[in-house]
PDB file of all heavy atoms in Angstrom:
ATOM      1  N   SER Y 849    -108.396  37.074  -5.613  1.00 96.00           N
ATOM      2  CA  SER Y 849    -108.622  35.838  -4.858  1.00 96.00           C
ATOM      3  C   SER Y 849    -108.788  36.130  -3.376  1.00 96.00           C
ATOM      4  O   SER Y 849    -109.609  35.510  -2.688  1.00 96.00           O
ATOM      5  CB  SER Y 849    -107.457  34.872  -5.089  1.00 96.00           C
ATOM      6  OG  SER Y 849    -107.696  33.627  -4.467  1.00 96.00           O
ATOM      7  N   ALA Y 850    -108.011  37.088  -2.864  1.00 97.00           N
ATOM      8  CA  ALA Y 850    -108.100  37.447  -1.444  1.00 97.00           C
ATOM      9  C   ALA Y 850    -109.467  38.055  -1.126  1.00 97.00           C
ATOM     10  O   ALA Y 850    -110.042  37.792  -0.057  1.00 97.00           O
ATOM     11  CB  ALA Y 850    -106.986  38.427  -1.082  1.00 97.00           C
ATOM     12  N   ILE Y 851    -110.012  38.850  -2.045  1.00 98.00           N
ATOM     13  CA  ILE Y 851    -111.340  39.443  -1.844  1.00 98.00           C
ATOM     14  C   ILE Y 851    -112.395  38.342  -1.798  1.00 98.00           C
ATOM     15  O   ILE Y 851    -113.256  38.304  -0.915  1.00 98.00           O
ATOM     16  CB  ILE Y 851    -111.655  40.460  -2.947  1.00 98.00           C
ATOM     17  CG1 ILE Y 851    -110.700  41.650  -2.867  1.00 98.00           C
ATOM     18  CG2 ILE Y 851    -113.104  40.932  -2.853  1.00 98.00           C
ATOM     19  CD1 ILE Y 851    -110.799  42.602  -4.049  1.00 98.00           C
ATOM     20  N   ASP Y 852    -112.332  37.423  -2.767  1.00 97.00           N
ATOM     21  CA  ASP Y 852    -113.296  36.320  -2.796  1.00 97.00           C
ATOM     22  C   ASP Y 852    -113.180  35.442  -1.548  1.00 97.00           C
ATOM     23  O   ASP Y 852    -114.180  34.958  -1.019  1.00 97.00           O
ATOM     24  CB  ASP Y 852    -113.089  35.467  -4.054  1.00 97.00           C
ATOM     25  CG  ASP Y 852    -114.208  35.674  -5.069  1.00 97.00           C
ATOM     26  OD1 ASP Y 852    -115.113  36.498  -4.805  1.00 97.00           O
ATOM     27  OD2 ASP Y 852    -114.190  35.016  -6.118  1.00 97.00           O
ATOM     28  N   TYR Y 853    -111.948  35.230  -1.103  1.00 98.00           N
ATOM     29  CA  TYR Y 853    -111.735  34.433   0.111  1.00 98.00           C
ATOM     30  C   TYR Y 853    -112.449  35.068   1.303  1.00 98.00           C
ATOM     31  O   TYR Y 853    -113.131  34.391   2.077  1.00 98.00           O
ATOM     32  CB  TYR Y 853    -110.235  34.312   0.396  1.00 98.00           C
ATOM     33  CG  TYR Y 853    -109.910  33.502   1.633  1.00 98.00           C
ATOM     34  CD1 TYR Y 853    -109.653  32.136   1.537  1.00 98.00           C
ATOM     35  CD2 TYR Y 853    -109.884  34.101   2.898  1.00 98.00           C
ATOM     36  CE1 TYR Y 853    -109.365  31.380   2.677  1.00 98.00           C
ATOM     37  CE2 TYR Y 853    -109.594  33.357   4.034  1.00 98.00           C
ATOM     38  CZ  TYR Y 853    -109.335  32.006   3.919  1.00 98.00           C
ATOM     39  OH  TYR Y 853    -109.065  31.272   5.051  1.00 98.00           O
ATOM     40  N   GLU Y 854    -112.311  36.393   1.447  1.00 98.00           N
ATOM     41  CA  GLU Y 854    -112.955  37.095   2.548  1.00 98.00           C
ATOM     42  C   GLU Y 854    -114.473  37.007   2.453  1.00 98.00           C
ATOM     43  O   GLU Y 854    -115.166  36.788   3.455  1.00 98.00           O
ATOM     44  CB  GLU Y 854    -112.523  38.564   2.549  1.00 98.00           C
ATOM     45  CG  GLU Y 854    -111.200  38.818   3.219  1.00 98.00           C
ATOM     46  CD  GLU Y 854    -111.234  38.499   4.701  1.00 98.00           C
ATOM     47  OE1 GLU Y 854    -112.012  39.131   5.442  1.00 98.00           O
ATOM     48  OE2 GLU Y 854    -110.495  37.603   5.117  1.00 98.00           O
ATOM     49  N   VAL Y 855    -115.014  37.168   1.259  1.00 98.00           N
ATOM     50  CA  VAL Y 855    -116.467  37.112   1.065  1.00 98.00           C
ATOM     51  C   VAL Y 855    -116.993  35.722   1.431  1.00 98.00           C
ATOM     52  O   VAL Y 855    -118.036  35.593   2.085  1.00 98.00           O
ATOM     53  CB  VAL Y 855    -116.839  37.472  -0.386  1.00 98.00           C
ATOM     54  CG1 VAL Y 855    -118.329  37.262  -0.632  1.00 98.00           C
ATOM     55  CG2 VAL Y 855    -116.450  38.915  -0.692  1.00 98.00           C
ATOM     56  N   CYS Y 856    -116.262  34.692   1.046  1.00 98.00           N
ATOM     57  CA  CYS Y 856    -116.668  33.323   1.375  1.00 98.00           C
ATOM     58  C   CYS Y 856    -116.529  33.037   2.869  1.00 98.00           C
ATOM     59  O   CYS Y 856    -117.378  32.391   3.484  1.00 98.00           O
ATOM     60  CB  CYS Y 856    -115.835  32.319   0.585  1.00 98.00           C
ATOM     61  SG  CYS Y 856    -116.212  32.258  -1.180  1.00 98.00           S
TER      62      CYS Y 856
END
Side-chain angles (χ1 to χ4, degrees):
S849 185
I851 295 171
D852 252 2
Y853 180 93
E854 277 295 298
V855 174
C856 289

